[in-house]
Amino acid sequence: MSILALHRPRITLISLNIEAIALGVYLVRDAFGGAMRYYTSIYHMDALWYLPDGVAFLCLAQFFVHCVLRNRSTLALIVLVQIMLSLVLGYFMMGTMNAAISSFKMMLPVFVGFCFCDSSLGSYRKLLSVIAVTFYLSVIGVFLTKFFLMPWVGYKYEAFGAVREAGRLWWAYGGDDQRLMGFAADNTMAAFFILVSFAITSIRMSTTWCLLFGSIAIYATRLTTSKTTMIVLVVYLILLVCVRMLPERSRFPAIRSIAQWSFVAIFVPFFMIVLASGTAAVPHTTLFSIVDRINNSWQLPFVYMSQLMPIGLVTGCGAGCFNYPQKLFSPLAQYWVPVDNFYIGTYLMFGLPFVAFMVMVFRATFGATDVYKLTLLFVVNLFTITVLNYGPASGLLIIALSFSEVFSRRATSARAGEAVPVVVRPPMPSLEGFRPDMPAASGSR
């Protein structure tokens, strides 16, 4: 009996580290996607590109064991079944096996993020180091592409029978600035990795560090011409300084309130449609992209859905529809529209069940105690107003991580009406005077 007790923590430790490994390898692959895809291809090691997906498949099994069986979360079981049914529905909608396989691969990062449900991202110290290095290198990569032409620019590669191309070096409408893409081979994703890695890293850094490197990060995102990312980064930095000016006991409630209020961003596209639908989009102007989203990106998919599958307006048209699997592998590619909003794009795939899920995610924030997840909630809610964020995989993974509290033991017990035991934890190092109550995690990371 004593021997089993001694070995049990080690077994739990290994199990709970799978999601950290998966997040780490996804982040390295995607943040340096241009270089990784180019060099793995020319050295005939293309299989390495899919290594993170293999680790993510293990996280699918862990999600079932931990969230469904161990936490006895009915919601986790419903979400798992819903995703699987949506994959089947998407296969019949898009009509090819390649599209179905691509859709399944697309959804795997979700389970990686969900596996963080009962742990704090702050307890994965090695993973935080990887994220910090990603921030520094992502910024450096953007600066380098301003002066040097990287070998992977314009490089074409094949995936599941479809030819894809690393991002081209091109110029923004109405300006002389190049859309720099760093090591990620995509300007929007280069900016996204700067934003997310800075937000995570800044939590344990001094205010001086945040102001210095935050200013550098803002300039780097400006070079990528990703207006959404730059705005979110500026707002985040302002709120970060404001929160740290509050009395210590008020800081965590403020973070939680900011995260909760960020859900209002979900309704911004609908407000814009009501306000500006039908406005002519003038090419080569600053507002061209947002007006195009209002008139086309956020509305046309529902017009096509009503023609192709009217019931899909309620049930969704399945995983992968109106997403890159449909664009690359389906006979319905002519109906593909760049949705450019995570919540609209996900509703198109999953329908009303996704709305119910988001209600539960919002409710879970009232009991959330992890400053990292609350911070990421704020960041992704604002960022995804104009970005679908299903590709690369790390984008979807970060969103799932920020939602993961909904499957935690705490949230499951609260929904079941059970008393949640109070666990006395050892004091944690101060986050510059900011001491959130962090959820208990099994084993050290």
Side-chain angles (χ1 to χ4, degrees), residues 352-383:
L352 286 180
F354 176 65
V355 177
F357 173 72
M358 287 310 306
V359 171
M360 303 302 292
V361 169
F362 179 73
R363 286 185 56 189
T365 61
F366 289 91
T369 58
D370 182 9
V371 63
Y372 289 91
K373 292 175 185 176
L374 292 171
T375 298
L376 289 175
L377 267 176
F378 166 78
V379 168
V380 300
N381 278 338
L382 269 64
F383 178 77

PDB file of all heavy atoms in Angstrom, residues 352-383:
ATOM      1  N   LEU A 352     -26.224  26.135 -32.525  1.00  0.00           N
ATOM      2  CA  LEU A 352     -26.698  26.562 -31.202  1.00  0.00           C
ATOM      3  C   LEU A 352     -25.988  25.875 -30.036  1.00  0.00           C
ATOM      4  O   LEU A 352     -25.836  26.498 -28.973  1.00  0.00           O
ATOM      5  CB  LEU A 352     -28.209  26.345 -31.098  1.00  0.00           C
ATOM      6  CG  LEU A 352     -29.079  27.346 -31.882  1.00  0.00           C
ATOM      7  CD1 LEU A 352     -30.563  27.010 -31.692  1.00  0.00           C
ATOM      8  CD2 LEU A 352     -28.805  28.776 -31.427  1.00  0.00           C
ATOM      9  N   PRO A 353     -25.550  24.605 -30.153  1.00  0.00           N
ATOM     10  CA  PRO A 353     -24.806  24.015 -29.042  1.00  0.00           C
ATOM     11  C   PRO A 353     -23.574  24.840 -28.644  1.00  0.00           C
ATOM     12  O   PRO A 353     -23.200  24.873 -27.470  1.00  0.00           O
ATOM     13  CB  PRO A 353     -24.410  22.634 -29.578  1.00  0.00           C
ATOM     14  CG  PRO A 353     -25.494  22.290 -30.536  1.00  0.00           C
ATOM     15  CD  PRO A 353     -25.859  23.592 -31.194  1.00  0.00           C
ATOM     16  N   PHE A 354     -22.966  25.517 -29.604  1.00  0.00           N
ATOM     17  CA  PHE A 354     -21.808  26.353 -29.274  1.00  0.00           C
ATOM     18  C   PHE A 354     -22.222  27.546 -28.418  1.00  0.00           C
ATOM     19  O   PHE A 354     -21.483  27.966 -27.526  1.00  0.00           O
ATOM     20  CB  PHE A 354     -21.131  26.834 -30.554  1.00  0.00           C
ATOM     21  CG  PHE A 354     -19.990  27.786 -30.315  1.00  0.00           C
ATOM     22  CD1 PHE A 354     -18.842  27.367 -29.654  1.00  0.00           C
ATOM     23  CD2 PHE A 354     -20.077  29.110 -30.740  1.00  0.00           C
ATOM     24  CE1 PHE A 354     -17.793  28.255 -29.420  1.00  0.00           C
ATOM     25  CE2 PHE A 354     -19.034  29.994 -30.518  1.00  0.00           C
ATOM     26  CZ  PHE A 354     -17.886  29.570 -29.856  1.00  0.00           C
ATOM     27  N   VAL A 355     -23.398  28.085 -28.663  1.00  0.00           N
ATOM     28  CA  VAL A 355     -23.899  29.193 -27.847  1.00  0.00           C
ATOM     29  C   VAL A 355     -24.074  28.738 -26.400  1.00  0.00           C
ATOM     30  O   VAL A 355     -23.673  29.437 -25.453  1.00  0.00           O
ATOM     31  CB  VAL A 355     -25.232  29.728 -28.408  1.00  0.00           C
ATOM     32  CG1 VAL A 355     -25.798  30.831 -27.502  1.00  0.00           C
ATOM     33  CG2 VAL A 355     -25.046  30.259 -29.823  1.00  0.00           C
ATOM     34  N   ALA A 356     -24.673  27.554 -26.210  1.00  0.00           N
ATOM     35  CA  ALA A 356     -24.856  27.016 -24.862  1.00  0.00           C
ATOM     36  C   ALA A 356     -23.511  26.791 -24.178  1.00  0.00           C
ATOM     37  O   ALA A 356     -23.340  27.070 -22.980  1.00  0.00           O
ATOM     38  CB  ALA A 356     -25.651  25.710 -24.928  1.00  0.00           C
ATOM     39  N   PHE A 357     -22.526  26.307 -24.940  1.00  0.00           N
ATOM     40  CA  PHE A 357     -21.194  26.089 -24.380  1.00  0.00           C
ATOM     41  C   PHE A 357     -20.575  27.399 -23.912  1.00  0.00           C
ATOM     42  O   PHE A 357     -19.976  27.479 -22.831  1.00  0.00           O
ATOM     43  CB  PHE A 357     -20.304  25.418 -25.429  1.00  0.00           C
ATOM     44  CG  PHE A 357     -18.866  25.295 -25.013  1.00  0.00           C
ATOM     45  CD1 PHE A 357     -18.482  24.386 -24.042  1.00  0.00           C
ATOM     46  CD2 PHE A 357     -17.888  26.094 -25.593  1.00  0.00           C
ATOM     47  CE1 PHE A 357     -17.147  24.265 -23.651  1.00  0.00           C
ATOM     48  CE2 PHE A 357     -16.554  25.978 -25.218  1.00  0.00           C
ATOM     49  CZ  PHE A 357     -16.193  25.068 -24.238  1.00  0.00           C
ATOM     50  N   MET A 358     -20.721  28.450 -24.698  1.00  0.00           N
ATOM     51  CA  MET A 358     -20.132  29.736 -24.324  1.00  0.00           C
ATOM     52  C   MET A 358     -20.801  30.324 -23.085  1.00  0.00           C
ATOM     53  O   MET A 358     -20.155  31.021 -22.294  1.00  0.00           O
ATOM     54  CB  MET A 358     -20.224  30.717 -25.492  1.00  0.00           C
ATOM     55  CG  MET A 358     -19.261  30.406 -26.628  1.00  0.00           C
ATOM     56  SD  MET A 358     -17.538  30.155 -26.090  1.00  0.00           S
ATOM     57  CE  MET A 358     -17.216  31.649 -25.171  1.00  0.00           C
ATOM     58  N   VAL A 359     -22.078  30.063 -22.899  1.00  0.00           N
ATOM     59  CA  VAL A 359     -22.747  30.494 -21.666  1.00  0.00           C
ATOM     60  C   VAL A 359     -22.094  29.828 -20.458  1.00  0.00           C
ATOM     61  O   VAL A 359     -21.836  30.461 -19.423  1.00  0.00           O
ATOM     62  CB  VAL A 359     -24.251  30.168 -21.724  1.00  0.00           C
ATOM     63  CG1 VAL A 359     -24.912  30.415 -20.360  1.00  0.00           C
ATOM     64  CG2 VAL A 359     -24.940  31.015 -22.795  1.00  0.00           C
ATOM     65  N   MET A 360     -21.783  28.538 -20.590  1.00  0.00           N
ATOM     66  CA  MET A 360     -21.126  27.812 -19.497  1.00  0.00           C
ATOM     67  C   MET A 360     -19.703  28.323 -19.276  1.00  0.00           C
ATOM     68  O   MET A 360     -19.234  28.416 -18.133  1.00  0.00           O
ATOM     69  CB  MET A 360     -21.101  26.317 -19.808  1.00  0.00           C
ATOM     70  CG  MET A 360     -22.464  25.710 -20.057  1.00  0.00           C
ATOM     71  SD  MET A 360     -23.599  25.934 -18.659  1.00  0.00           S
ATOM     72  CE  MET A 360     -22.815  24.899 -17.429  1.00  0.00           C
ATOM     73  N   VAL A 361     -19.004  28.672 -20.353  1.00  0.00           N
ATOM     74  CA  VAL A 361     -17.654  29.232 -20.220  1.00  0.00           C
ATOM     75  C   VAL A 361     -17.698  30.541 -19.454  1.00  0.00           C
ATOM     76  O   VAL A 361     -16.882  30.793 -18.553  1.00  0.00           O
ATOM     77  CB  VAL A 361     -17.016  29.447 -21.611  1.00  0.00           C
ATOM     78  CG1 VAL A 361     -15.729  30.265 -21.502  1.00  0.00           C
ATOM     79  CG2 VAL A 361     -16.723  28.109 -22.275  1.00  0.00           C
ATOM     80  N   PHE A 362     -18.667  31.382 -19.784  1.00  0.00           N
ATOM     81  CA  PHE A 362     -18.805  32.662 -19.085  1.00  0.00           C
ATOM     82  C   PHE A 362     -19.107  32.445 -17.601  1.00  0.00           C
ATOM     83  O   PHE A 362     -18.531  33.113 -16.731  1.00  0.00           O
ATOM     84  CB  PHE A 362     -19.904  33.507 -19.733  1.00  0.00           C
ATOM     85  CG  PHE A 362     -20.128  34.826 -19.048  1.00  0.00           C
ATOM     86  CD1 PHE A 362     -19.207  35.850 -19.186  1.00  0.00           C
ATOM     87  CD2 PHE A 362     -21.257  35.035 -18.261  1.00  0.00           C
ATOM     88  CE1 PHE A 362     -19.398  37.076 -18.545  1.00  0.00           C
ATOM     89  CE2 PHE A 362     -21.460  36.246 -17.624  1.00  0.00           C
ATOM     90  CZ  PHE A 362     -20.525  37.266 -17.770  1.00  0.00           C
ATOM     91  N   ARG A 363     -19.995  31.518 -17.309  1.00  0.00           N
ATOM     92  CA  ARG A 363     -20.321  31.221 -15.908  1.00  0.00           C
ATOM     93  C   ARG A 363     -19.090  30.737 -15.149  1.00  0.00           C
ATOM     94  O   ARG A 363     -18.905  31.066 -13.972  1.00  0.00           O
ATOM     95  CB  ARG A 363     -21.420  30.159 -15.836  1.00  0.00           C
ATOM     96  CG  ARG A 363     -22.812  30.644 -16.189  1.00  0.00           C
ATOM     97  CD  ARG A 363     -23.835  29.534 -15.969  1.00  0.00           C
ATOM     98  NE  ARG A 363     -23.793  29.027 -14.601  1.00  0.00           N
ATOM     99  CZ  ARG A 363     -24.450  27.944 -14.189  1.00  0.00           C
ATOM    100  NH1 ARG A 363     -25.174  27.250 -15.052  1.00  0.00           N
ATOM    101  NH2 ARG A 363     -24.374  27.558 -12.937  1.00  0.00           N
ATOM    102  N   ALA A 364     -18.238  29.978 -15.817  1.00  0.00           N
ATOM    103  CA  ALA A 364     -17.058  29.426 -15.153  1.00  0.00           C
ATOM    104  C   ALA A 364     -16.068  30.500 -14.743  1.00  0.00           C
ATOM    105  O   ALA A 364     -15.266  30.295 -13.825  1.00  0.00           O
ATOM    106  CB  ALA A 364     -16.375  28.411 -16.070  1.00  0.00           C
ATOM    107  N   THR A 365     -16.102  31.660 -15.392  1.00  0.00           N
ATOM    108  CA  THR A 365     -15.152  32.716 -15.038  1.00  0.00           C
ATOM    109  C   THR A 365     -15.398  33.258 -13.637  1.00  0.00           C
ATOM    110  O   THR A 365     -14.481  33.805 -13.014  1.00  0.00           O
ATOM    111  CB  THR A 365     -15.227  33.891 -16.033  1.00  0.00           C
ATOM    112  OG1 THR A 365     -16.543  34.471 -16.002  1.00  0.00           O
ATOM    113  CG2 THR A 365     -14.904  33.428 -17.444  1.00  0.00           C
ATOM    114  N   PHE A 366     -16.600  33.107 -13.105  1.00  0.00           N
ATOM    115  CA  PHE A 366     -16.905  33.608 -11.756  1.00  0.00           C
ATOM    116  C   PHE A 366     -16.166  32.811 -10.682  1.00  0.00           C
ATOM    117  O   PHE A 366     -15.954  33.303  -9.580  1.00  0.00           O
ATOM    118  CB  PHE A 366     -18.415  33.575 -11.505  1.00  0.00           C
ATOM    119  CG  PHE A 366     -19.176  34.612 -12.284  1.00  0.00           C
ATOM    120  CD1 PHE A 366     -19.678  34.317 -13.548  1.00  0.00           C
ATOM    121  CD2 PHE A 366     -19.371  35.877 -11.763  1.00  0.00           C
ATOM    122  CE1 PHE A 366     -20.373  35.269 -14.269  1.00  0.00           C
ATOM    123  CE2 PHE A 366     -20.076  36.845 -12.479  1.00  0.00           C
ATOM    124  CZ  PHE A 366     -20.570  36.539 -13.744  1.00  0.00           C
ATOM    125  N   GLY A 367     -15.789  31.574 -11.020  1.00  0.00           N
ATOM    126  CA  GLY A 367     -15.043  30.768 -10.056  1.00  0.00           C
ATOM    127  C   GLY A 367     -13.584  30.578 -10.441  1.00  0.00           C
ATOM    128  O   GLY A 367     -12.838  29.908  -9.735  1.00  0.00           O
ATOM    129  N   ALA A 368     -13.166  31.171 -11.585  1.00  0.00           N
ATOM    130  CA  ALA A 368     -11.795  30.992 -12.068  1.00  0.00           C
ATOM    131  C   ALA A 368     -10.800  31.670 -11.125  1.00  0.00           C
ATOM    132  O   ALA A 368     -11.064  32.755 -10.595  1.00  0.00           O
ATOM    133  CB  ALA A 368     -11.649  31.558 -13.474  1.00  0.00           C
ATOM    134  N   THR A 369      -9.663  31.028 -10.902  1.00  0.00           N
ATOM    135  CA  THR A 369      -8.642  31.577 -10.016  1.00  0.00           C
ATOM    136  C   THR A 369      -7.272  31.677 -10.683  1.00  0.00           C
ATOM    137  O   THR A 369      -6.291  32.018 -10.019  1.00  0.00           O
ATOM    138  CB  THR A 369      -8.503  30.692  -8.758  1.00  0.00           C
ATOM    139  OG1 THR A 369      -8.183  29.355  -9.162  1.00  0.00           O
ATOM    140  CG2 THR A 369      -9.784  30.686  -7.944  1.00  0.00           C
ATOM    141  N   ASP A 370      -7.194  31.373 -11.958  1.00  0.00           N
ATOM    142  CA  ASP A 370      -5.915  31.386 -12.660  1.00  0.00           C
ATOM    143  C   ASP A 370      -5.784  32.674 -13.460  1.00  0.00           C
ATOM    144  O   ASP A 370      -6.520  32.909 -14.421  1.00  0.00           O
ATOM    145  CB  ASP A 370      -5.821  30.168 -13.586  1.00  0.00           C
ATOM    146  CG  ASP A 370      -4.481  30.089 -14.315  1.00  0.00           C
ATOM    147  OD1 ASP A 370      -3.590  30.881 -13.961  1.00  0.00           O
ATOM    148  OD2 ASP A 370      -4.343  29.257 -15.225  1.00  0.00           O
ATOM    149  N   VAL A 371      -4.844  33.517 -13.073  1.00  0.00           N
ATOM    150  CA  VAL A 371      -4.659  34.801 -13.737  1.00  0.00           C
ATOM    151  C   VAL A 371      -4.257  34.619 -15.195  1.00  0.00           C
ATOM    152  O   VAL A 371      -4.590  35.446 -16.057  1.00  0.00           O
ATOM    153  CB  VAL A 371      -3.603  35.645 -12.983  1.00  0.00           C
ATOM    154  CG1 VAL A 371      -2.243  34.974 -13.001  1.00  0.00           C
ATOM    155  CG2 VAL A 371      -3.504  37.037 -13.566  1.00  0.00           C
ATOM    156  N   TYR A 372      -3.556  33.543 -15.526  1.00  0.00           N
ATOM    157  CA  TYR A 372      -3.146  33.298 -16.905  1.00  0.00           C
ATOM    158  C   TYR A 372      -4.356  33.050 -17.805  1.00  0.00           C
ATOM    159  O   TYR A 372      -4.446  33.601 -18.906  1.00  0.00           O
ATOM    160  CB  TYR A 372      -2.192  32.101 -16.969  1.00  0.00           C
ATOM    161  CG  TYR A 372      -0.829  32.379 -16.386  1.00  0.00           C
ATOM    162  CD1 TYR A 372      -0.556  32.126 -15.050  1.00  0.00           C
ATOM    163  CD2 TYR A 372       0.198  32.894 -17.162  1.00  0.00           C
ATOM    164  CE1 TYR A 372       0.693  32.378 -14.502  1.00  0.00           C
ATOM    165  CE2 TYR A 372       1.446  33.152 -16.643  1.00  0.00           C
ATOM    166  CZ  TYR A 372       1.690  32.887 -15.305  1.00  0.00           C
ATOM    167  OH  TYR A 372       2.929  33.147 -14.784  1.00  0.00           O
ATOM    168  N   LYS A 373      -5.277  32.224 -17.363  1.00  0.00           N
ATOM    169  CA  LYS A 373      -6.459  31.935 -18.176  1.00  0.00           C
ATOM    170  C   LYS A 373      -7.338  33.169 -18.324  1.00  0.00           C
ATOM    171  O   LYS A 373      -7.870  33.438 -19.409  1.00  0.00           O
ATOM    172  CB  LYS A 373      -7.258  30.789 -17.549  1.00  0.00           C
ATOM    173  CG  LYS A 373      -6.538  29.452 -17.594  1.00  0.00           C
ATOM    174  CD  LYS A 373      -7.322  28.377 -16.859  1.00  0.00           C
ATOM    175  CE  LYS A 373      -6.531  27.065 -16.796  1.00  0.00           C
ATOM    176  NZ  LYS A 373      -7.232  26.040 -15.993  1.00  0.00           N
ATOM    177  N   LEU A 374      -7.490  33.935 -17.255  1.00  0.00           N
ATOM    178  CA  LEU A 374      -8.301  35.146 -17.336  1.00  0.00           C
ATOM    179  C   LEU A 374      -7.661  36.173 -18.263  1.00  0.00           C
ATOM    180  O   LEU A 374      -8.352  36.857 -19.026  1.00  0.00           O
ATOM    181  CB  LEU A 374      -8.489  35.732 -15.938  1.00  0.00           C
ATOM    182  CG  LEU A 374      -9.357  34.895 -14.985  1.00  0.00           C
ATOM    183  CD1 LEU A 374      -9.302  35.455 -13.574  1.00  0.00           C
ATOM    184  CD2 LEU A 374     -10.801  34.836 -15.478  1.00  0.00           C
ATOM    185  N   THR A 375      -6.347  36.276 -18.198  1.00  0.00           N
ATOM    186  CA  THR A 375      -5.634  37.188 -19.096  1.00  0.00           C
ATOM    187  C   THR A 375      -5.812  36.775 -20.550  1.00  0.00           C
ATOM    188  O   THR A 375      -6.085  37.609 -21.425  1.00  0.00           O
ATOM    189  CB  THR A 375      -4.135  37.218 -18.739  1.00  0.00           C
ATOM    190  OG1 THR A 375      -3.975  37.705 -17.399  1.00  0.00           O
ATOM    191  CG2 THR A 375      -3.362  38.117 -19.699  1.00  0.00           C
ATOM    192  N   LEU A 376      -5.669  35.480 -20.819  1.00  0.00           N
ATOM    193  CA  LEU A 376      -5.827  34.993 -22.185  1.00  0.00           C
ATOM    194  C   LEU A 376      -7.257  35.153 -22.675  1.00  0.00           C
ATOM    195  O   LEU A 376      -7.479  35.395 -23.872  1.00  0.00           O
ATOM    196  CB  LEU A 376      -5.391  33.527 -22.274  1.00  0.00           C
ATOM    197  CG  LEU A 376      -3.888  33.282 -22.157  1.00  0.00           C
ATOM    198  CD1 LEU A 376      -3.583  31.791 -22.136  1.00  0.00           C
ATOM    199  CD2 LEU A 376      -3.131  33.951 -23.299  1.00  0.00           C
ATOM    200  N   LEU A 377      -8.236  35.022 -21.797  1.00  0.00           N
ATOM    201  CA  LEU A 377      -9.626  35.255 -22.187  1.00  0.00           C
ATOM    202  C   LEU A 377      -9.803  36.667 -22.736  1.00  0.00           C
ATOM    203  O   LEU A 377     -10.427  36.876 -23.786  1.00  0.00           O
ATOM    204  CB  LEU A 377     -10.557  35.047 -20.985  1.00  0.00           C
ATOM    205  CG  LEU A 377     -11.169  33.670 -20.794  1.00  0.00           C
ATOM    206  CD1 LEU A 377     -11.980  33.624 -19.506  1.00  0.00           C
ATOM    207  CD2 LEU A 377     -12.058  33.298 -21.980  1.00  0.00           C
ATOM    208  N   PHE A 378      -9.269  37.629 -22.019  1.00  0.00           N
ATOM    209  CA  PHE A 378      -9.356  39.019 -22.474  1.00  0.00           C
ATOM    210  C   PHE A 378      -8.682  39.187 -23.828  1.00  0.00           C
ATOM    211  O   PHE A 378      -9.248  39.790 -24.754  1.00  0.00           O
ATOM    212  CB  PHE A 378      -8.707  39.950 -21.436  1.00  0.00           C
ATOM    213  CG  PHE A 378      -8.454  41.327 -21.951  1.00  0.00           C
ATOM    214  CD1 PHE A 378      -9.483  42.238 -22.047  1.00  0.00           C
ATOM    215  CD2 PHE A 378      -7.180  41.712 -22.357  1.00  0.00           C
ATOM    216  CE1 PHE A 378      -9.260  43.521 -22.550  1.00  0.00           C
ATOM    217  CE2 PHE A 378      -6.941  42.981 -22.853  1.00  0.00           C
ATOM    218  CZ  PHE A 378      -7.988  43.894 -22.947  1.00  0.00           C
ATOM    219  N   VAL A 379      -7.480  38.637 -23.960  1.00  0.00           N
ATOM    220  CA  VAL A 379      -6.706  38.801 -25.189  1.00  0.00           C
ATOM    221  C   VAL A 379      -7.420  38.169 -26.385  1.00  0.00           C
ATOM    222  O   VAL A 379      -7.578  38.801 -27.434  1.00  0.00           O
ATOM    223  CB  VAL A 379      -5.290  38.203 -25.014  1.00  0.00           C
ATOM    224  CG1 VAL A 379      -4.573  38.108 -26.359  1.00  0.00           C
ATOM    225  CG2 VAL A 379      -4.466  39.046 -24.044  1.00  0.00           C
ATOM    226  N   VAL A 380      -7.869  36.913 -26.236  1.00  0.00           N
ATOM    227  CA  VAL A 380      -8.459  36.228 -27.389  1.00  0.00           C
ATOM    228  C   VAL A 380      -9.834  36.797 -27.732  1.00  0.00           C
ATOM    229  O   VAL A 380     -10.208  36.834 -28.912  1.00  0.00           O
ATOM    230  CB  VAL A 380      -8.537  34.703 -27.170  1.00  0.00           C
ATOM    231  CG1 VAL A 380      -7.161  34.117 -26.945  1.00  0.00           C
ATOM    232  CG2 VAL A 380      -9.468  34.337 -26.029  1.00  0.00           C
ATOM    233  N   ASN A 381     -10.596  37.249 -26.747  1.00  0.00           N
ATOM    234  CA  ASN A 381     -11.909  37.822 -27.047  1.00  0.00           C
ATOM    235  C   ASN A 381     -11.789  39.070 -27.903  1.00  0.00           C
ATOM    236  O   ASN A 381     -12.598  39.288 -28.817  1.00  0.00           O
ATOM    237  CB  ASN A 381     -12.666  38.134 -25.761  1.00  0.00           C
ATOM    238  CG  ASN A 381     -13.366  36.925 -25.182  1.00  0.00           C
ATOM    239  OD1 ASN A 381     -13.638  35.953 -25.890  1.00  0.00           O
ATOM    240  ND2 ASN A 381     -13.659  36.947 -23.900  1.00  0.00           N
ATOM    241  N   LEU A 382     -10.783  39.902 -27.631  1.00  0.00           N
ATOM    242  CA  LEU A 382     -10.584  41.101 -28.447  1.00  0.00           C
ATOM    243  C   LEU A 382      -9.914  40.776 -29.777  1.00  0.00           C
ATOM    244  O   LEU A 382     -10.301  41.317 -30.818  1.00  0.00           O
ATOM    245  CB  LEU A 382      -9.758  42.137 -27.680  1.00  0.00           C
ATOM    246  CG  LEU A 382     -10.553  43.155 -26.852  1.00  0.00           C
ATOM    247  CD1 LEU A 382     -11.319  42.457 -25.730  1.00  0.00           C
ATOM    248  CD2 LEU A 382      -9.643  44.233 -26.276  1.00  0.00           C
ATOM    249  N   PHE A 383      -8.937  39.876 -29.748  1.00  0.00           N
ATOM    250  CA  PHE A 383      -8.195  39.550 -30.968  1.00  0.00           C
ATOM    251  C   PHE A 383      -9.084  38.895 -32.011  1.00  0.00           C
ATOM    252  O   PHE A 383      -8.966  39.172 -33.215  1.00  0.00           O
ATOM    253  CB  PHE A 383      -7.021  38.625 -30.617  1.00  0.00           C
ATOM    254  CG  PHE A 383      -6.218  38.179 -31.797  1.00  0.00           C
ATOM    255  CD1 PHE A 383      -5.309  39.027 -32.407  1.00  0.00           C
ATOM    256  CD2 PHE A 383      -6.366  36.890 -32.312  1.00  0.00           C
ATOM    257  CE1 PHE A 383      -4.560  38.612 -33.509  1.00  0.00           C
ATOM    258  CE2 PHE A 383      -5.623  36.465 -33.403  1.00  0.00           C
ATOM    259  CZ  PHE A 383      -4.719  37.337 -34.005  1.00  0.00           C
TER     260      PHE A 383
END
